[in-house]
Amino acid sequence: MRLYVLARNPTDSVTEGFLPAAGRLGLDVTLLTDQPEAHRRAPAPADLDGPEILECDVRDFRAVISRISAHHTPDAVFTNSDHLQTQAALAAEYFGLPGKDWRVALRTKDKAQMRRHLAASGADAVWSAELPAGRDPSALSTLDVPFPCVVKPREGVASEDVVLVENCGELARRCAEIQARRPGAALLVEEYLAGELCTLETLGDGRVRHVLGGFRTQVSPPPHFIEERMTFVPAHPEPVTAQVLAQLNALGVGFGACHTEFVVAQGRARLIEVNYRAIGDQCDLLLAQLLGIPLFEHILRTHLGRPLPADLGARADGRARLDYPCARSAGTLTAAPPASDETLGGVRLTYRPLRGIGERHEVHGTNRDFLGVVRATGTEQAAVDRAVADFIDAHHWEITP
């Protein structure tokens, strides 16, 4: 069976998760990407001879359909990229294959459309306004903007250019700064939703939907929202989960993996964004290990049209935490620990560097500032927390200007 995977830059989710899973399922894999050389340099999974890699403008669904049509007959079209969900959904529909509804993929990717749809359906109303690409930010001065508010790219990801602003002058300045970096991007201004930041991870086949748990997220101090720590939550309070699922139902989300970010204040859950894909930044790798299930295989099977089992058989006693050491200043990474795996006192701890010694980077105020990821799993949260804290205290990351 032939699986087409759409991707832009290489990610751990694809190289360590989905490609090995495809190998275990016995699938022939063709990877379509606009960055073929980067994928050819990526390490091949142990379970799979390197996938066939074809260059394609994967941002254009017409190019994707054309490339597939001229190649092997597809049995599934899949992507775990935020940027490519609509394209993959349209290609799957064109070839009559299982997949996400392209309309749902579009309304979750487009944050302004998500807000409009939730409001129109009566699920939730959040004050928001769009600033079209190229529009002077002064146009926002005529609006009754609730401060503090959040500015973000309408179709952004990973906290890229997401910033909290306190007044009209700062709003205009921040919008202009983002426009200078992203001249073709529309921006969204929306009310700041206070509360505890959490995630809900779900997996569905259009018929049944499993809740895999979620995370509590610790972010950097304002004005940016860098995810510095993720603590696994086996189950959020039932009323909170029910509210999030009701809003996902209103959006039409229910096929494949979905990573939903929301805040909770006084028992009320309000969506921040819906990422219609598996959670990233190695949280998906941790989830598969923690729950003891073939998570990546299950996700691929849904795109092959195979139903999910009524019971995934997931463990319920796992506890976990991920910490992301971050660069606080621009410069060259001159000291950092190597990759490591260890088991201490019933806690399994893994460290993976995300930036190589000798690499120079600016500070972005986003997840691109991560220097590495420490992930730990066990059955007692206190032991897991202690293992991560001890590892970070025992190691050193040095940035030289």
Side-chain angles (χ1 to χ4, degrees):
M1 300 185 76
R2 175 69 53 174
L3 168 69
Y4 284 87
V5 176
L6 275 56
R8 300 207 65 199
N9 58 295
T11 64
D12 293 329
S13 296
V14 172
T15 58
E16 296 186 37
F18 289 108
L19 293 183
R24 291 189 289 270
L25 292 173
L27 302 176
D28 297 314
V29 179
T30 297
L31 191 146
L32 301 182
T33 178
D34 56 356
Q35 301 178 37
E37 291 308 315
H39 285 273
R40 292 188 180 106
R41 291 192 300 268
D47 305 63
L48 184 73
D49 292 334
E52 177 185 39
I53 299 173
L54 298 180
E55 185 169 5
C56 177
D57 183 2
V58 285
R59 296 166 297 180
D60 185 343
F61 72 92
R62 294 161 296 190
V64 171
I65 291 171
S66 178
R67 198 73 167 99
I68 294 174
S69 296
H71 201 54
H72 301 296
T73 301
D75 294 288
V77 179
F78 170 78
T79 186
N80 199 55
S81 168
D82 276 303
H83 302 283
L84 305 177
Q85 293 297 330
T86 303
Q87 294 88 331
L90 284 165
E93 181 175 325
Y94 179 87
F95 291 107
L97 300 172
K100 297 167 183 172
D101 185 325
W102 70 265
R103 300 167 188 82
V104 179
L106 179 63
R107 76 172 62 115
T108 53
K109 173 61 176 171
D110 183 326
K111 296 174 176 61
Q113 187 62 20
M114 183 190 80
R115 293 298 185 205
R116 284 191 289 266
H117 191 88
L118 287 173
S121 67
D124 191 24
V126 173
W127 187 98
S128 64
E130 286 181 77
L131 183 66
R135 181 74 60 85
D136 191 323
S138 64
L140 298 170
S141 63
T142 62
L143 303 179
D144 187 18
V145 180
F147 291 103
C149 67
V150 175
V151 179
K152 62 179 76 172
R154 188 184 64 192
E155 299 179 51
V157 297
S159 300
E160 295 273 358
D161 284 321
V162 180
V163 63
L164 184 71
V165 299
E166 301 287 347
N167 53 60
C168 289
E170 186 181 7
L171 175 59
R173 178 171 60 85
R174 291 293 192 178
C175 286
E177 290 172 353
I178 298 172
Q179 287 176 327
R181 289 189 291 269
R182 299 168 176 254
L187 305 183
L188 182 69
V189 180
E190 63 181 25
E191 67 176 283
Y192 171 64
L193 301 179
E196 182 181 33
L197 181 59
C198 303
T199 84
L200 190 72
E201 313 307 323
T202 56
L203 172 61
D205 61 8
R207 175 187 57 89
V208 62
R209 177 170 54 198
H210 296 284
V211 176
L212 305 176
F215 293 87
R216 288 193 303 273
T217 306
Q218 176 180 305
V219 297
S220 60
H224 301 292
F225 298 88
I226 308 171
E227 297 168 347
E228 298 181 333
R229 176 176 300 158
M230 308 285 285
T231 302
F232 180 67
V233 179
H236 293 297
E238 187 174 334
V240 169
T241 298
Q243 291 176 60
V244 175
L245 293 179
Q247 292 177 73
L248 292 180
N249 288 340
L251 291 168
V253 171
F255 187 90
C258 187
H259 161 56
T260 304
E261 299 179 11
F262 63 98
V263 294
V264 181
Q266 299 180 329
R268 183 182 181 187
R270 309 188 76 185
L271 300 190
I272 298 295
E273 63 181 41
V274 176
N275 303 281
Y276 208 178
R277 53 153 172 86
I279 187 172
D281 293 324
Q282 300 195 15
C283 290
D284 47 359
L285 302 175
L286 178 142
L287 269 182
Q289 172 192 322
L290 182 69
L291 301 178
I293 61 173
L295 175 62
F296 298 97
E297 288 91 329
H298 280 318
I299 295 171
L300 292 180
R301 285 190 185 104
T302 64
H303 289 263
L304 291 165
R306 301 174 187 173
L308 290 167
D311 185 351
L312 295 178
R315 290 179 53 186
D317 62 344
R319 299 295 182 270
R321 172 172 146 182
L322 303 94
D323 275 35
Y324 302 96
C326 286
R328 303 301 181 188
S329 60
T332 301
L333 182 65
T334 51
S340 62
D341 296 272
E342 52 189 81
T343 301
L344 301 168
V347 175
R348 182 176 174 182
L349 186 142
T350 298
Y351 173 72
R352 293 291 182 267
L354 297 177
R355 186 179 298 184
I357 298 290
E359 288 187 30
R360 178 176 178 81
H361 289 266
E362 301 301 314
V363 171
H364 302 282
T366 74
N367 294 7
R368 285 194 287 164
D369 296 332
F370 290 168
L371 300 174
V373 53
V374 186
R375 63 180 198 257
T377 59
T379 55
E380 296 182 2
Q381 191 65 52
V384 168
D385 291 341
R386 187 165 53 250
V388 173
D390 288 348
F391 180 90
I392 291 175
D393 287 344
H395 293 87
H396 178 60
W397 291 262
E398 181 175 331
I399 303 281
T400 300

